[in-house]
Amino acid sequence: MRAQHLQQTRPAWYDRSPLTIGLLYQDNGIPPHAQTQRVTYTAPANRKALLEASTTICLRLTAAAPVGLVRMSIAGTYDGATGAWQPAAIMLNNAVGADGGFSQSQQSILQPGNNVRGFTEDQSTGGTVQYIVTAKLTEYDN
Amino acid sequence: MRQYNGPSARPLPVDRNLVAFGANIQLLATAPHAATQRQVYTAPANKKVIVWNLVADAIRATVAAPVGLMEMYWRMNATNAVNARIIELTQIDNTIGANRGVTAFNAFDLQATESASLVTADGSTGGTYNYNVAYTVGEYNA
């Protein structure tokens, strides 16, 4: 007898009990602060998640004195990769209306237990910045 | 990027009564306003949706006095998506022609009956913006 595999008949990921997941943090006018985690998502046991869209935006609303570095990111912790930045925005500009770029990520897949986390940070003294950290995922059976 | 399995238990989306269409929403010479929902797209019952393309732009048409924060975004309305934003524009600029534009990097999915909506806001006093968003989607049997 010769053992043979049949062709795979497993449903595609979008047919394996898909569930939409969203993350959103927005603050219009937050003062300087140390690096702070704003949102987080962890793929549950026996589920994977497709990170389909994620965006980070920062925009200066009022001037600082003096200005410092503004940073924000969505960091993914995957098997064998810790805290890899996906979208990230960095700004060192004191002009009202200055922005740190509009960063979007490509797709990635979270295995069970993998996570994504959104952070903001402002090393200025005074002044305020608008932050938006958002992501859309689809979770499905592993 | 869209990821497919190989041979699968079910036909691919393109073979599941796929219906494709697009929409273009244009708002010209729009005065300042609080956050306002402009258009809603809802995935039909018993259908899943791939959003293939999503683009948005906003351009200052006339000056304000004084200028304020402009925002424009396409947000998820799904229960689990906490209004995650697929695309987002934000700007403080009083120059005629100052613009923001973005294209979603990836295709992404909506589950049956989930919806997404276009929202604009302009915190200026006086002055106007032109807003435009366009998308193409494919609906297929869930």
Side-chain angles (χ1 to χ4, degrees), chain B residues 24-37:
Chain B
N24 187 18
I25 301 102
Q26 193 170 47
L27 304 166
L28 299 177
T30 305
H33 54 281
T36 303
Q37 183 169 285

Side-chain angles (χ1 to χ4, degrees), chain A residues 14 20 26 52 107 136, chain B residues 1 48 80 85 106 109:
Chain A
Y14 44 83
T20 297
Q26 176 171 11
E52 296 165 287
Q107 291 181 334
K136 192 268 187 189
Chain B
M1 179 187 73
K48 292 174 180 167
N80 298 302
R85 297 171 188 178
N106 307 308
D109 288 21

Side-chain angles (χ1 to χ4, degrees), chain A residues 21-23 37-43 49-54 73-78 83-87 105-106 108-111 113-119 133-137:
Chain A
I21 302 291
L23 302 176
Q37 180 176 302
R38 304 296 187 180
V39 293
T40 184
Y41 166 78
T42 301
L50 176 63
L51 178 64
E52 296 165 287
S54 60
S73 64
I74 293 178
T77 297
Y78 300 92
W85 282 11
Q86 294 191 277
S105 76
Q106 295 286 358
S108 59
I109 294 174
L110 280 68
Q111 307 284 356
N114 291 174
N115 68 56
V116 289
R117 295 171 294 158
F119 296 94
V133 180
T134 186
K136 192 268 187 189
L137 307 94

Side-chain angles (χ1 to χ4, degrees), chain B residues 110 122 124:
Chain B
L110 302 177
D122 181 2
S124 304

Side-chain angles (χ1 to χ4, degrees), chain B residues 30-54:
Chain B
T30 305
H33 54 281
T36 303
Q37 183 169 285
R38 303 292 187 175
Q39 199 261 358
V40 180
Y41 170 77
T42 302
N46 303 315
K47 290 278 197 177
K48 292 174 180 167
V49 170
I50 309 168
V51 181
W52 285 313
N53 182 55
L54 175 61

Side-chain angles (χ1 to χ4, degrees), chain A residues 8-17 140-141, chain B residues 5 7-10:
Chain A
Q8 180 188 27
T9 55
R10 199 171 176 212
W13 64 271
Y14 44 83
D15 290 327
R16 280 146 58 180
S17 302
Y140 56 94
D141 287 346
Chain B
N5 281 3
S8 175
R10 297 191 62 193

